[in-house]
Amino acid sequence: MDTSVAHNARVWNYWLGGKDNYAADRGAGDHVLSLFPSIVDVARADRAFLQRAVRHLAGEVGLRQFLDIGTGLPTAENTHEVAQAVAPESRVVYADNDPLVLVHARALLTSRPPGATDYIEADIREPETILEAAAATLDPDRPVGLMLLGVLNFVPDTEEARAVVARLVAELAPGSYVALTHPTLEMGGEANAEAMAFWNENATPPITPRTVADITAFADGLEIVEPGVVSCAEWRPEPDDAGAPRRVPQVGIVARKP
């Protein structure tokens, strides 16, 4: 683990007010913030989207299994905490390729019976590895909530990213859901271009923004639920979100596998 080079998971942790970061992460985070002050709003909106989506899937939909790929560093209200607050029997598997996330994996594995959690060290570009390992905790014959928040933007090739999503979705039981977020230079994010260019020259892994149309294509073959393809801040906001930004340049989608 090279702490002299800023890494996305640690910078994201810094923007969310966490302490699991180093000087290089804080320096890069501050510079990006100077170029694109709304980036902290994006980080917080993305996290709030995760919580709302999981509550919806565990509550209204009734899912009891979740596969969260690109977990990032644990903060408050992780996927298993949100799901198990609704349904204590929920089973959650996390997957990430960042060594620091592995160090903190025990913080993710805190559920008690009747629920369960597990952690897989794997890259999203290794869907077979993830699916095989997840089957030790999740029942592949039952619906799963697949969480892909802020992770597909680290797969530079769009066709490869689509193939990864298609491979994961193909193994999900009918009635499963996919929740994803992805940065865009649309939705008011045009000013983020300079910040992303700085990031790609000075930090890791590189980020690939995509158009709303390209992001929507990740849900091809799925039934996108209301309110459709929107900024993640606009996806079913709750009363507690009243002081949050009304729109951030981060697309949010929740879709069902027929």
Side-chain angles (χ1 to χ4, degrees):
M1 182 170 61
D2 185 356
T3 61
S4 67
V5 177
H7 189 282
N8 178 75
R10 301 192 301 262
V11 176
W12 202 256
N13 174 267
Y14 173 56
W15 286 332
L16 287 172
K19 298 180 180 179
D20 296 311
N21 47 75
Y22 298 92
D25 307 310
R26 295 187 289 273
D30 287 340
H31 190 74
V32 169
L33 185 60
S34 72
L35 297 172
F36 187 60
S38 297
I39 190 62
V40 171
D41 292 334
V42 172
R44 292 173 179 170
D46 188 88
R47 194 70 187 176
F49 170 90
L50 179 147
Q51 294 159 7
R52 296 195 303 273
V54 172
R55 279 195 291 268
H56 169 70
L57 295 178
E60 295 176 45
V61 175
L63 295 187
R64 296 295 179 263
Q65 303 189 117
F66 294 85
L67 175 56
D68 187 336
I69 303 177
T71 306
L73 289 164
T75 59
E77 293 196 84
N78 300 293
T79 297
H80 75 281
E81 294 169 318
V82 178
Q84 290 173 357
V86 176
E89 68 273 25
S90 297
R91 305 176 73 83
V92 179
V93 173
Y94 295 99
D96 204 292
N97 68 342
D98 179 12
L100 190 59
V101 178
L102 176 62
V103 169
H104 288 266
R106 288 185 178 179
L108 294 169
L109 308 180
T110 55
S111 66
R112 298 177 180 177
T117 59
D118 197 5
Y119 178 82
I120 303 166
E121 185 180 15
D123 191 285
I124 189 172
R125 288 165 288 197
E126 303 168 335
E128 286 77 14
T129 298
I130 294 172
L131 291 165
E132 182 179 354
T137 302
L138 308 180
D139 182 350
D141 295 324
R142 296 176 55 209
V144 171
L146 174 62
M147 314 300 293
L148 300 173
L149 274 65
V151 63
L152 293 170
N153 41 286
F154 297 119
V155 182
D157 183 85
T158 298
E159 290 306 314
E160 181 183 11
R162 288 177 180 169
V164 166
V165 175
R167 179 71 183 89
L168 291 167
V169 170
E171 295 302 314
L172 300 180
S176 294
Y177 283 73
V178 177
L180 68 87
T181 61
H182 196 296
T184 182
L185 296 181
E186 300 175 8
M187 293 185 170
E190 294 80 3
N192 198 15
E194 184 180 357
M196 285 190 180
F198 167 82
W199 177 270
N200 290 345
E201 292 175 2
N202 296 276
T204 188
I207 297 172
T208 300
R210 293 186 169 95
T211 66
V212 174
D214 281 340
I215 298 166
T216 303
F218 288 126
D220 283 353
L222 304 177
E223 301 169 346
I224 298 176
V225 305
E226 293 295 333
V229 179
V230 295
S231 166
C232 66
E234 298 172 322
W235 196 88
R236 304 193 181 195
E238 298 173 347
D240 290 345
D241 300 327
R246 297 177 61 183
R247 168 174 279 209
V248 296
Q250 182 95 332
V251 176
I253 300 174
V254 177
R256 179 181 182 274
K257 180 178 178 178

